């Protein structure tokens, strides 16, 4: 293969080779004057960007020799240094000095919406992610890899299940998604728009992209950068450019093949501190002695008369969480090749990964294939195409750790029973349970998904300053879910049978994009402009079958109609069609690269916009002043860049779902029974909202970039303020309207924040280098207006009165926690008597007893109700960010990455039960529960005080501050002299290695759905060690 | 070269034009638009069917305890249900959570159906019966709301848009008496247009004229509008005729849509025999069985009842109070209703400790867990006759009153009552209602209507915690506090404030 390619290259090189061929030699050195062995020297024929004629590598002393002609150019590059190109022009000896890469960052190309600019010419707030720092790390998804690396980009894990998506927020939350009933009820989201190779919505999540295929990631933050995406831009945009895609500049080598293999293990980093069997036995006895309804047990009952007669010999008992967890293997293989011959360029990769989860039987396997090609057909025409495919097999999480299943989820189960038990004595309905371990063994549930994205594009140079580009893209997504719970589960009786479900969801879209680009210098004035149009046709559909009563477990979901009863069988079908169209443009002007102006605008039209609002316009403007280019500063050699950027603009967040603005009726075959069978019925589900519109965010941004000391130290400081108005809310309405909620463009939020990042090359010697980058961000997002409504509820307490636990209220941060203010317990009768006068506290039970938990009676009315609910904090951290340190000593490099988050709050859902309920196991701290003799001063509720759950209160809210040693990776690059293998690198890395936090749950970096900081112990996050070998040919 | 350029430009323009301007109008094939509905009888029927849906979501255990299981006749001793022990306040409103929500949903369905029928292109004669049926259903939902909560908002407008929604959301409590008056007037206008037949003769036993008259009578009784009670009940009398033709045994909940019935809430689903919907587990069967059950057997309080079977789930039961057992309906007095209302045993065997439990009237035979598939009898003909007795009494026509009272007594094989004094007759009518309609979703409403709820329940409810917690404000349930908050406190519970139960200062 290589020979063939070389032949082609040689032939290509011969064509213009009329000039005299001669030898040129020289030495390549770094910025400290030390020689660089292994640097690559390429001869480019005719011009700086000419075809590759030949190439060579420097020897141990940095020397090289190549053959070339006078008209050729010599280009030299070495990893970590910026490439240089010099004309030969009759020289025989060319010694070349390279400077480290960072010094040319201003020349880096940054991908922005519908185009790319040099970093120096960037006017908006766009952060380019340094992929080099990410590549060696064992994080398995891009979202996790990005955590802490970009100021203003906040990434919160949803849970630790392989393949689960993180919650990504650019500059905080703005819209208020009331997402209680799952996907279908989502109004808008706060998720950023993800654009891959110029096309939006061609991945269902960041997990759909093979991290190895990514060339660059840009994060668009301010409205000047995002307004070009119009109604979809308000949440920020993440643009991913894959390797070999036609606009990228990965043109260095003529051919390379690389293979990467890695393997490792994942494990549960820390368990919850729960009671063991001995502690829990004592707890049960205390409950029976003091609260229990059994008349045979009281304070004076001897041990032999109690419920647990010998608690002290119980030992540890069952550790349910350990019983469902495991040390899970991980493996990943990636093979890729790319080639370039001046005209044709290609990149192909194939990868397989198998990531097993730390909970038994869960995990995912991925197969990803990519092919990117482009061909310069004529001087004026370049054609390109890519195809990307991914197949994912996801073994879904079969059991439960926490959440609401208090009689069968792992953390709640009593250590006094064992995995073979199907009777849970704590369950007051006395029904059999299917415990967490049995679920794991008996149930089946997996999802497979395939995703295909194909694109053709053309770039035409019409006349010199004018360029036309066209793009045509097709996206296909298919998800199939297979689920079966057998009839043999202990919680099922004979008559119930097994239950099965099959679901298919698919999406297809067609996308066209046309852009015209114009670029011209007029003396000291530079103007470039772009105008474009897009059209998109998107359909999605869902087919879901579910039934119960299957009597043959072996066929699982393969005989869905084999149920006896229509009522236990459910078939649903849905279809959505969306059409979108947009016209957009951008005008850039600069004077001597000193004063920059950018204006953008976009007209967006979409079928899912309501009847009276089919089109919207989103403008923005930006100004940049490069202070360091001012002549009066010209002498300051230490100053490489000082620029000030200002921008103001508008972008939108559209309702996304089709048909939301239409009145609709829903049909059901399970209506009211007449004559013993269900009648067909149709009922009005929603009123029309013909005025429903997108949300509009107006954002102003100010930024200061500073680079000093030969670019060794770079700072960036940004501040912004944005206002989002016309929020689409699923507003709760009083039930006497007959409705529970309505969609309305009502309300306003605001965000403001400061972002600071610094990167520094502390030491840069030939054998040793040390670089540091650090980000710190602060964001406050507030609810300013909710229209008529006092609050929007996101999560309610699992108690009889569904008090709001997470919701929005005017004047408070988005995603605030609400509840009662915990005030300890009644310690003695005197306290109770005193309180009858002061009404300082109240308990929620109808009677008042010692050891009952008490809460602050905010309005001193002697009872506890929704008026006593107060704000308990917000999950938003005060500051968050990351600190990366990279060290290189000769061939050894070490990367250490910390992330941190300070000042936020997290809600530990399990404490609704595990701090006082008689229905579940308890946190170990409950051994110090209030006790009339042993512990009369304690402020923890008395053993078994809650028959169900505790009230939502400050007791459950914890500080979520943490510092995490997120990744450490140590790699060694072998000195290879072989012609076959150019690079060989081995690395050992660890993820989530250490966590400093005061939180008592698994991990404070957690969310539930889109509700940040709501910890229902869904799936704990893993710690991982990975060993990998990288080979490059 | 210039030529080349033109070709390029031409091709680009052609490409751009190929993007035919697309329509951004929504394709609505995936949603059912109410404005394209109601065009056929089948569609209207489906919409009217939808109006019945909310019934099964609030006729639940809690509603049953509130109406029957925490009264002078029966109580739910030892139960943790808040409704059983009057542990009720706006923040923790027990049965009110569902009883506030679902009737309003029903009203929304009715009003949107009425608006749809109005728009429909079908002829008036085709549309009218559906519209009247829908109005009757809506009146029932308002009847429940006004009986359960007292004064509630009242509107009959279809909520078509945002403005309507906002306007309705701002309605506060309105006079229940006025609401009933409006509804009675409307029903008086429409009910005569329907075929004057028994509910059991209606296809699928839907709500027809009989239900319409009964609602007029019930609401008029609340309003003490005795003329309309008599007017409506006499219509029922002419439809239903002689009571003796309807065997008393038919009142059992397991006999469905029997001729005497005027309104039953349907729960039966025949194909699988059992109802698996989540709400059905709120059915009352688990509350009314002899207690306790021996696990894995059909033995209930020591007595084998094979008809109920081994699969039943039993909760802490509703049980007759001693006032019911000993004062109102003493055993062995020849009243055939006694052993159907209250069970002392089965197949000749007596329950342990001579206990008396809710009778076979309420049992669900062959029940699976708590999936009750009985129909709940809400209104039946004997109720109308007793209302006539009451109305004539209130109008001072004691002999007519006694006449109707004795129709009901005759069927129960009880000796006729002869007039002694007005006070005694009133007591006898009230006790007769207790004997005849025991456990049929209405005792609380009767007591409240008579204005004796607090004294009567306080005196006779046997559950100690209920006696301890009961306050006069519990006569009507509070509107859930969360809903008061959503209304911006336009809705409130002033009665509960008086007893310091809602926390308003």
């Amino acid at each position: 293969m290589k020979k063939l390619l070389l032949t082609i290259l040689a032939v290509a090189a011969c064509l213009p080779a009329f000039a005299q061929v001669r030898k040129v030699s020289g030495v390549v050195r770094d910025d400290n004057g030390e020689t660089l062995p292994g640097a690559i020297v390429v001869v480019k024929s005719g011009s700086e960007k000419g075809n590759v004629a030949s190439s060579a590598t420097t020897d141990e002393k940095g020397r090289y020799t190549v053959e070339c002609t006078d008209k050729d150019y010599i280009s030299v590059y070495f990893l970590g240094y910026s490439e240089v190109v010099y004309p030969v022009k009759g020289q025989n000896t060319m010694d070349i000095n390279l400077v480290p890469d960072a010094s040319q960052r201003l020349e880096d190309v940054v991908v922005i919406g519908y185009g790319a600019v040099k970093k120096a010419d960037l006017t908006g707030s766009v952060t380019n992610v340094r992929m080099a720092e990410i590549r060696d790390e064992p994080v398995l998804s891009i979202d996790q890899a990005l955590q802490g690396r970009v100021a203003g980009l906040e990434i919160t894990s949803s849970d630790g299940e392989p393949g689960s998506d993180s919650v990504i927020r650019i500059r905080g939350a703005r819209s208020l998604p009331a997402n209680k009933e799952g996907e279908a009820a989502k109004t808008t989201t706060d998720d950023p728009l993800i654009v891959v190779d110029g096309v939006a919505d061609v991945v269902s999540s960041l997990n759909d992209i093979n991290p190895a295929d990514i060339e660059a990631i840009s994060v668009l933050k301010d409205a000047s950068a995002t307004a070009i995406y119009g109604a979809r831009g308000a949440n920020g945009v993440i643009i991913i450019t894959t390797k070999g895609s036609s606009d990228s500049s990965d043109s260095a080598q003529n051919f390379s093949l690389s293979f990467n293999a890695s393997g490792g293990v994942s494990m549960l980093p820390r368990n919850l501190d729960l009671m063991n069997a001995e502690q829990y036995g004592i707890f049960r006895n205390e409950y029976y002695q003091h609260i229990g309804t059994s008349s045979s047990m009281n304070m004076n009952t001897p041990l032999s008369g109690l419920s647990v007669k010998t608690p002290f010999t119980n030992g540890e008992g069952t550790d349910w969480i350990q019983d469902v967890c495991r040390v899970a293997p991980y493996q990943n293989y990636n093979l890729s090749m790319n080639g370039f011959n001046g005209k044709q360029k290609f990149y192909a990769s194939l990868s397989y990964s198998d990531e097993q989860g730390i909970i038994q039987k869960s995990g995912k396997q991925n197969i990803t294939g990519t092919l990117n090609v482009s061909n310069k057909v004529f001087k004026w025409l370049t054609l390109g195409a890519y195809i990307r495919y991914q197949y994912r097999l996801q073994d879904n999480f079969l059991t439960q750790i926490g959440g609401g299943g208090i009689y069968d989820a792992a953390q709640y189960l009593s250590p006094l029973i064992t995995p073979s038990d199907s009777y849970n004595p704590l369950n007051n309905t006395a029904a059999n349970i299917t415990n967490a371990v049995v679920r794991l063994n008996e149930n089946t549930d997996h999802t497979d998904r395939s995703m295909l994205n194909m694109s053709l594009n053309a770039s035409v140079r019409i006349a010199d300053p004018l360029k036309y580009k066209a793009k045509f893209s097709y996206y296909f997504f298919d998800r199939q879910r297979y689920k079966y719970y057998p009839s043999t589960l202990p919680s099922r009786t004979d008559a119930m049978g097994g239950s099965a479900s099959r679901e298919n969801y698919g999406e297809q879209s067609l996308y066209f994009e046309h852009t015209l680009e114009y670029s011209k210098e007029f003396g000291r004035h530079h103007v470039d402009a772009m105008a474009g149009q897009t059209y998109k046709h998107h359909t999605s559909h869902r087919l879901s079958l579910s039934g119960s009563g299957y009597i043959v477990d072996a066929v699982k979901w393969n005989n869905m109609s084999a149920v006896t009863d229509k009522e236990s069988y459910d078939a649903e079908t849905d279809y959505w069609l969306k059409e979108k169209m947009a016209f957009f443009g951008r005008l850039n002007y600069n004077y001597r690269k000193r004063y920059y102006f950018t204006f953008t605008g976009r007209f967006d039209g979409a079928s899912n916009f309501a009847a009276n609002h089919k089109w919207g316009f989103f403008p923005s403007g930006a100004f940049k002043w490069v202070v360091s280019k001012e002549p009066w500063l010209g002498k300051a050699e230490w100053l490489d860049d000082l620029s000030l950027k200002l921008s103001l603009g508008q972008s939108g967040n559209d309702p996304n779902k089709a048909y939301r603005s239409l009145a609709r009726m829903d049909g059901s075959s399970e209506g009211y029974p007449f004559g013993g069978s269900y009648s067909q019925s149709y009922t009005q589900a929603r009123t029309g909202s013909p005025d429903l519109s997108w949300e509009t965010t107006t954002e102003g941004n100010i930024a200061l970039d500073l680079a000093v000391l030969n670019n060794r130290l770079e700072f960036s400081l940004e501040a912004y303020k944005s206002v989002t108005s016309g929020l689409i809310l699923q507003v709760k309405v009083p039930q006497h309207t007959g409705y529970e909620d309505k969609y309305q463009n009502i309300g306003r939020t605001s965000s403001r924040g400061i972002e600071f990042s610094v990167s520094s090359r502390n030491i840069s010697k030939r054998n040793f280098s040390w670089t540091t980058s650090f980000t710190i961000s602060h964001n406050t997002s507030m609810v300013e207006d909710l229209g008529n409504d006092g609050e929007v509820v996101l999560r309610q307490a699992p108690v009889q009165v569904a008090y709001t636990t997470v919701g929005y209220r005017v004047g408070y941060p988005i995603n605030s926690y609400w509840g009662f203010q915990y005030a300890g317990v009644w310690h003695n009768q005197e306290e109770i008597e005193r309180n009858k006068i002061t009404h300082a506290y109240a308990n929620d039970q109808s009677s008042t007893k010692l050891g009952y938990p008490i809460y602050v009676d905010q309005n001193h009315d002697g009872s506890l109700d929704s008026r006593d609910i107060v704000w308990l904090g917000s999950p938003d951290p005060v500051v968050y960010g990351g600190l990366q340190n990279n060290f290189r000593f000769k061939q050894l490099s070490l990367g250490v990455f910390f992330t941190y988050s300070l000042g936020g709050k997290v809600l530990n859902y399990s404490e609704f039960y595990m701090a006082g309920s008689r229905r579940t196991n308890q946190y170990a701290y409950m051994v110090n529960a209030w006790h009339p003799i042993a512990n009369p001063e304690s402020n923890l509720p008395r053993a078994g005080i809650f028959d169900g759950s505790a009230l939502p209160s400050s007791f459950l809210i914890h500080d979520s501050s943490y510092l995490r040693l997120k990744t450490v990776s140590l790699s060694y690059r072998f000195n290879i002299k072989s012609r076959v293998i150019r690079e060989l690198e081995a690395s050992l890395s660890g993820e989530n290695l250490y966590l400093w936090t005061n939180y008592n749950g698994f991990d404070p970096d957690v969310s539930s759905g889109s509700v940040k900081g709501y910890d229902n112990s869904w799936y704990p996050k893993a710690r991982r060690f990975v060993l990998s070998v990288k080979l490059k040919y | 070269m210039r030529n080349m350029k033109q070709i390029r430009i031409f091709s680009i323009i052609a490409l751009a034009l190929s993007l035919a301007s697309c329509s951004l109008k929504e394709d609505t094939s995936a949603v059912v638009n109410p404005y394209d509905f109601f065009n056929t009888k089948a569609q209207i029927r489906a919409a009217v069917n939808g109006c019945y849906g909310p019934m099964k979501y609030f006729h639940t255990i809690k509603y049953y305890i509130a109406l029957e299981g925490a009264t002078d006749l029966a109580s739910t001793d030892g139960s943790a249900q808040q409704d059983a022990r009057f542990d009720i306040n706006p923040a923790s409103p027990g049965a009110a959570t569902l009883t506030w929500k679902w009737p309003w949903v029903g009203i929304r369905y009715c009003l949107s159906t009425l608006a749809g029928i109005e728009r429909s292109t079908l002829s008036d004669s085709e549309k009218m019966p559906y519209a009247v049926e829908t109005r009757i259903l809506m009146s029932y939902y308002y009847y429940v709301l006004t009986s359960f909560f007292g004064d509630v908002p009242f509107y009959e407008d279809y909520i078509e848009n945002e403005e309507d929604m906002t306007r309705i959301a701002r309605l506060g409590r309105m006079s229940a008496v006025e609401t009933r008056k409006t509804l009675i007037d409307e029903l008086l206008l429409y009910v005569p247009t329907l075929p004057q037949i028994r509910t059991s003769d209606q296809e699928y036993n839907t709500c027809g004229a009989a239900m319409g008259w009964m609602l007029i009578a019930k609401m008029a009784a609340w309003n003490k509008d005795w003329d309309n009670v008599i007017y409506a009940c006499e219509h029922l009398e002419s439809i239903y005729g002689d009571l003796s033709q309807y065997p008393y045994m038919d009142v059992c909940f397991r006999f469905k849509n029997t001729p005497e019935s005027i309104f039953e809430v349907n729960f039966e689903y025949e194909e699988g025999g059992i109802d698996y919907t989540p709400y059905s587990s709120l059915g009352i069967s688990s509350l009314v069985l002899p207690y306790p059950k021996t696990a894995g057997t059909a033995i209930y309080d020591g007595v084998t009842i094979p008809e109920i079977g081994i699969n039943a789930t039993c909760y802490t039961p509703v049980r007759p109070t001693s006032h019911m057992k000993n004062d109102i309906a003493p055993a062995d007095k020849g009243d055939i209703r006694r052993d159907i209302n209250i069970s002392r045993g089965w197949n000749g065997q007596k329950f342990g400790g001579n206990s008396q439990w809710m009778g076979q009237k309420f049992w669900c035979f062959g029940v699976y867990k708590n999936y009750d598939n009985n129909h709940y009898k809400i209104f039946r003909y004997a109720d109308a006759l007793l209302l006539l007795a009451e109305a004539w009494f209130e109008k001072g026509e004691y002999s007519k009153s006694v006449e109707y009272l004795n129709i009901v007594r005759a069927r129960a094989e009880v000796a006729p009552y002869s007039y002694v004094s007005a006070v005694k007759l009133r007591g006898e009518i009230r006790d007769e209602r207790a004997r005849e309609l025991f456990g049929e979703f209405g005792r609380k409403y009767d007591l409240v209507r008579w204005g004796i709820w607090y004294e009567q329940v306080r005196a006779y409810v046997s559950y100690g915690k209920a006696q301890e917690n009961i306050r006069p404000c519990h006569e009507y349930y509070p509107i859930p506090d969360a809903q008061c908050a959503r209304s911006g406190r336009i809705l409130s519970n002033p009665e509960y404030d008086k007893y310091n139960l809602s926390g308003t200062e």
Side-chain angles (χ1 to χ4, degrees), chain A residues 598-915:
Chain A
T598 300
F599 300 97
T600 65
R602 176 166 173 138
F603 276 106
D604 246 338
S607 65
N608 60 312
F609 293 174
N612 301 339
H613 291 271
K614 285 292 179 197
W615 288 90
F617 180 64
F618 303 94
S620 82
F623 166 69
K624 176 177 175 179
W625 176 30
V626 185
V627 185
S628 53
K629 290 235 167 118
E630 289 292 348
W632 45 265
L633 253 174
K635 296 286 184 291
E637 279 189 6
W638 53 273
L639 183 68
D640 302 294
D641 178 34
L642 173 64
S643 43
L644 180 72
K645 297 192 275 194
L646 294 169
S647 76
L648 185 66
Q650 256 184 2
S651 49
N653 190 9
D654 88 41
N656 214 0
K657 276 266 175 193
Y659 320 131
R660 175 143 291 148
S661 66
L662 304 177
R664 66 184 288 174
M665 297 194 73
D666 282 352
S668 163
S669 62
E670 291 181 7
Y672 188 73
F674 287 118
S677 74
Y678 284 118
S679 60
Q680 188 179 34
S681 69
Y682 269 89
T683 51
Q684 176 127 21
R686 205 163 62 209
T687 60
S689 327
D691 295 321
L692 198 67
S693 168
W694 53 86
E695 304 171 353
T696 308
T697 297
T698 309
E699 184 177 6
N701 189 68
I702 176 164
L704 190 70
D705 289 340
L706 176 67
V708 294
L709 304 175
N710 197 19
N711 288 309
R712 283 178 79 134
L713 212 50
E714 290 176 52
F715 301 93
S716 169
L717 178 68
E718 299 201 36
Y720 58 89
K721 178 166 173 30
S722 70
V723 174
T724 302
S725 53
L727 287 170
I728 303 170
L729 289 182
Q730 197 179 6
V731 174
K732 293 277 174 200
V733 295
Q735 283 171 344
H736 71 264
T737 59
Y739 290 88
E740 197 67 32
D741 41 45
K742 62 179 177 185
Y743 293 118
Q744 214 181 335
N745 275 107
I746 200 164
R748 201 170 71 243
T749 60
S750 71
S751 294
R752 70 189 77 191
I754 295 183
E755 296 157 4
F756 177 69
S757 62
V758 55
S759 70
S760 139
R761 285 179 294 123
N762 309 321
I763 297 172
S764 182
K765 300 275 184 214
R766 185 186 159 205
N767 282 332
F768 183 68
S769 70
W770 172 26
T771 62
T772 302
S773 54
F774 173 71
T775 68
I776 184 165
S777 317
H778 163 78
N779 177 75
T780 314
S781 295
M782 302 290 285
V783 179
E784 300 286 344
D785 189 358
L786 286 173
N788 306 332
D789 294 274
E791 70 169 4
V792 174
V793 179
L794 264 82
R795 289 287 190 277
Q796 290 172 326
V799 282
Q800 203 151 21
V801 184
Y803 294 110
T804 304
T805 50
V806 184
Y808 312 128
R809 279 190 202 173
V810 174
Y812 290 94
I814 293 176
N815 285 359
S816 284
Y817 301 115
W818 301 92
F820 299 102
Q821 207 175 325
Y822 185 78
V825 301
W826 295 125
H827 293 104
N828 47 55
Q829 198 57 39
E830 192 193 333
E831 278 184 9
I832 296 175
E833 293 306 322
R834 200 183 323 134
N835 193 65
K836 281 180 182 162
I837 297 152
T838 59
H839 287 315
Y841 308 108
N843 61 312
D844 74 320
Q845 321 263 344
S846 46
S847 56
T848 299
K849 283 184 184 165
L850 297 183
Y852 271 31
I854 53 173
Y855 306 90
V856 175
D857 184 0
Q858 306 285 351
N859 58 0
H860 309 294
D861 65 351
S863 74
L864 209 59
D865 59 30
S866 58
R867 292 177 187 81
D868 299 312
I869 283 186
V870 291
W871 184 70
L872 297 176
S874 155
D876 292 332
V878 176
V879 290
Y880 63 91
L883 172 66
Q884 170 89 38
N885 272 295
N886 281 352
F887 305 91
R888 185 179 56 79
F889 177 67
K890 291 188 173 170
Q891 272 88 15
L892 195 65
S893 37
L894 173 68
V896 181
F897 183 47
F898 289 92
T899 58
Y900 64 92
S901 169
L902 302 173
K905 295 271 194 274
V906 57
L907 182 148
N908 189 349
Y909 184 91
S910 61
E911 286 179 334
F912 273 121
Y913 300 98
M914 299 208 305

Side-chain angles (χ1 to χ4, degrees), chain A residues 137-139 143-149 155 157 896-899 962-968 990-994 996 1005 1021 1024:
Chain A
E137 291 182 353
V139 281
D143 46 10
Q144 276 302 300
L146 290 176
Q147 192 180 43
R149 297 196 183 275
I155 291 178
S157 310
V896 181
F897 183 47
F898 289 92
T899 58
Y962 69 84
L963 169 67
R964 188 192 310 275
L965 177 53
K966 188 166 163 85
T967 52
V968 172
E991 187 204 351
N992 190 14
L993 290 171
Y994 200 82
W996 291 266
D1005 173 27
K1021 204 173 346 187
R1024 188 176 288 122

Side-chain angles (χ1 to χ4, degrees), chain A residues 48-103:
Chain A
E48 281 183 36
K49 291 176 178 174
N51 295 342
V52 177
S54 64
S55 68
T57 312
T58 55
D59 65 12
E60 282 167 66
K61 291 181 177 169
R63 290 176 304 206
Y64 73 94
T65 309
V66 289
E67 289 188 344
C68 57
T69 71
D70 280 359
K71 288 181 176 173
D72 289 346
Y73 285 73
I74 284 180
S75 139
V76 181
Y77 65 93
F78 185 74
L79 198 83
Y81 292 79
S82 51
E83 185 182 356
V84 292
V85 185
Y86 295 112
V88 176
K89 284 186 180 167
Q91 300 172 82
N92 289 328
T93 308
M94 293 173 70
D95 289 347
I96 291 162
N97 288 335
L98 294 183
V99 281
D101 202 10
S103 63

Side-chain angles (χ1 to χ4, degrees), chain A residues 380 460-463 468 470 491 493 495-496 512 514 533 535 565-568 575-577 579-581 605-609 614-615 658-665 670-688 732-744 788 800-801 803 846 859 861 863-867, chain B residues 4-5 8-9 12 15-16 19 22-35 37-38 46-47 49-50 52-53 55-56 62 82 87 91-92 100-101 104-105 108-109 112 153 155 158-160 162 165-166 168-171 204 206 264-272 274-277 368-369 481 483 486-487 489 491 500 502-505:
Chain A
W380 55 274
V460 185
R461 196 154 47 80
I462 299 171
Y468 166 76
S491 57
T493 58
M496 285 171 86
F512 295 91
H514 304 267
Q533 184 223 10
Y535 167 73
D565 192 336
K566 183 183 91 173
E567 200 197 342
S568 64
Y575 173 79
W576 301 271
L577 166 66
E579 281 184 291
K580 295 188 174 200
M581 225 164 124
S607 65
N608 60 312
F609 293 174
K614 285 292 179 197
W615 288 90
Y659 320 131
R660 175 143 291 148
S661 66
L662 304 177
R664 66 184 288 174
M665 297 194 73
E670 291 181 7
Y672 188 73
F674 287 118
S677 74
Y678 284 118
S679 60
Q680 188 179 34
S681 69
Y682 269 89
T683 51
Q684 176 127 21
R686 205 163 62 209
T687 60
K732 293 277 174 200
V733 295
Q735 283 171 344
H736 71 264
T737 59
Y739 290 88
E740 197 67 32
D741 41 45
K742 62 179 177 185
Y743 293 118
Q744 214 181 335
N788 306 332
Q800 203 151 21
V801 184
Y803 294 110
S846 46
N859 58 0
D861 65 351
S863 74
L864 209 59
D865 59 30
S866 58
R867 292 177 187 81
Chain B
M4 195 64 197
K5 211 177 270 179
R8 285 182 217 159
I9 291 166
I12 290 160
L15 242 172
L19 279 166
C22 64
S23 154
L24 297 180
K25 196 170 156 33
E26 285 212 273
D27 160 74
T28 53
S29 62
V31 291
V32 177
N33 182 336
Y35 299 93
F37 202 76
F38 301 100
N49 288 346
Y52 285 85
M55 298 280 180
K56 59 177 182 177
K62 286 174 186 246
Q82 346 163 214
D87 186 8
S92 179
W100 182 255
K101 176 180 176 174
W104 287 119
V105 174
R108 151 185 157 199
Y109 292 165
S112 62
Y155 61 95
Y158 169 47
I159 298 184
E160 187 169 18
E162 182 57 43
M165 178 97 77
T166 310
I168 302 296
R170 288 188 192 134
L171 294 180
Y204 298 120
T206 51
E264 296 181 1
V265 177
N266 295 3
F267 278 91
E268 183 194 31
Y269 169 64
E270 273 174 351
E271 277 153 74
I274 45 175
D275 191 317
Y276 274 114
T277 60
Y368 180 75
K369 287 191 170 180
D481 189 57
Q483 295 303 316
R486 276 193 206 172
S487 76
R489 302 274 164 206
L491 293 176
N500 208 11
S502 61
T504 308
E505 280 167 85

Side-chain angles (χ1 to χ4, degrees), chain A residues 908-930:
Chain A
N908 189 349
Y909 184 91
S910 61
E911 286 179 334
F912 273 121
Y913 300 98
M914 299 208 305
S917 173
R918 71 192 70 150
R919 302 283 165 211
T920 68
N921 191 15
Q922 303 290 304
Y923 277 104
Y925 62 69
M926 285 300 289
V927 299
N928 296 320
W930 188 88

